[in-house]
Amino acid sequence: MEITAGELMGGAWPELMPGQCPVLVVPAAVGRPVTAGEGWARDAGVLERDPAPGWSAIAAAPGLTVRRPDGGAWFDGQVTAGREWWRALRAHEVLLLVTGPFTGVFDFRPAAAAGNLALLTVRARSATRP
């Protein structure tokens, strides 16, 4: 997958984990709170649990909206992803969100190494087929 200028400078980017689990990596922002009470975790054990209740993701390629339990949008924007990512999202019906104190791909590794990432799985559905 190619890295776009938006990803280098603060935009969200898609990834696929081994086993084809779709991931959306989203730099932290004031409008995107992370609260442990809403299911966010600091470890990969989140992948072993059911998706966080009340959260949802609706994909209409190239757009994706992730809603918080209160119905507010946590993420609403375009995702520069290939067909493989959109197909994996449709097949798994679960999306792993990863966020933390980083602003782009170059800040991601130090945040991960310091244990500062927050992870959440959400139910996902596709409104269209890319």
Side-chain angles (χ1 to χ4, degrees), residues 77-98:
Q78 290 192 353
V79 177
T80 307
R83 285 182 182 256
E84 185 179 8
W85 191 86
W86 293 106
R87 287 180 181 152
L89 182 66
R90 194 169 48 249
H92 283 264
E93 297 180 334
V94 172
L95 174 65
L96 173 62
L97 300 173
V98 177

Side-chain angles (χ1 to χ4, degrees), residues 4-92:
T4 66
E7 293 162 0
L8 295 174
M9 299 165 53
W13 68 90
E15 294 287 344
L16 281 174
M17 290 182 54
Q20 301 299 299
C21 177
V23 178
L24 186 65
V25 183
V26 185
V30 173
R32 289 192 283 266
V34 173
T35 309
E38 291 182 335
W40 291 94
R42 296 273 178 203
D43 63 80
V46 72
L47 294 169
E48 304 301 320
R49 298 189 291 269
D50 288 336
W55 285 82
S56 65
I58 300 172
L64 178 74
T65 301
V66 177
R67 296 215 175 269
R68 300 168 41 88
D70 67 6
W74 184 84
F75 175 86
D76 189 16
Q78 290 192 353
V79 177
T80 307
R83 285 182 182 256
E84 185 179 8
W85 191 86
W86 293 106
R87 287 180 181 152
L89 182 66
R90 194 169 48 249
H92 283 264

